[in-house]
Amino acid sequence: MYEWLKIIHILSGAVLFGTGAGIAFFMLRAHMTRNVVTMAAVGSIVVLADFVFTATAVVVQPISGLGLIHLQGYSLTEPWLMAAYGLYVLIGICWLPVVWIQMELAKMAKRAQVEGEALPPRYFSLFRIWFILGWPAFAGVIGIYWLMVAKPVF
């Protein structure tokens, strides 16, 4: 049971990290084209990927993590686990608005495509917020990986 749970936990962590990195790459590259057709298409794919992959991993991670904590006999209040919980919350605080922003960006790009107009200034403001929120989320995921591997004593 432990090995299966650990595999699930590692794979869902990889999905969380990989999907996040992939979404960031593709959104940034689409944005850089300034082509509203590309931006609309990539934006809608990114939103779908976030719901299918990221959201699933967000649910699986704490469930599998709690199972591993129990099977390994750790206390839920180990300092390194408390730090991981804090980072997980930070990531969530960043991710939730990012998902909403991605939906808005995709809608604005699609509207600009259909109407043959330029993107509104709001698109670029939201994109900057999206970009900024990605950094603490990315660093948080790296921090959790480090905590899981190192299990430091504070």
Side-chain angles (χ1 to χ4, degrees):
M1 175 69 166
Y2 170 78
E3 287 79 16
W4 283 108
L5 201 53
K6 190 171 185 178
I7 288 169
I8 290 167
H9 194 65
I10 291 168
L11 288 176
S12 67
V15 167
L16 193 62
F17 181 78
T19 304
I23 283 171
F25 175 79
F26 289 113
M27 279 292 285
L28 182 59
R29 292 294 299 149
H31 175 78
M32 291 170 66
T33 70
R34 297 292 198 250
N35 179 315
V36 293
V37 174
T38 300
M39 295 160 87
V42 170
S44 64
I45 291 168
V46 158
V47 168
L48 178 62
D50 242 346
F51 280 104
V52 172
F53 298 107
T54 310
T56 302
V58 163
V59 171
V60 170
Q61 278 290 282
I63 293 169
S64 59
L66 288 171
L68 288 169
I69 291 166
H70 173 73
L71 290 174
Q72 292 178 91
Y74 287 112
S75 165
L76 289 172
T77 59
E78 296 280 342
W80 62 274
L81 285 171
M82 298 298 286
Y85 307 151
L87 288 173
Y88 200 74
V89 168
L90 170 71
I91 293 163
I93 288 169
C94 293
W95 179 67
L96 289 172
V98 158
V99 172
W100 176 81
I101 289 170
Q102 288 169 176
M103 291 188 298
E104 290 296 303
L105 294 175
K107 281 192 264 183
M108 284 186 271
K110 183 66 174 175
R111 192 174 312 120
Q113 175 190 351
V114 169
E115 295 174 4
E117 295 179 358
L119 290 165
R122 182 172 179 257
Y123 178 95
F124 298 97
S125 297
L126 284 176
F127 188 86
R128 276 190 294 280
I129 295 167
W130 174 86
F131 185 81
I132 290 165
L133 287 172
W135 288 103
F138 181 78
V141 172
I142 297 294
I144 290 174
Y145 267 110
W146 179 78
L147 289 164
M148 295 299 113
V149 172
K151 296 176 181 57
V153 177
F154 295 106

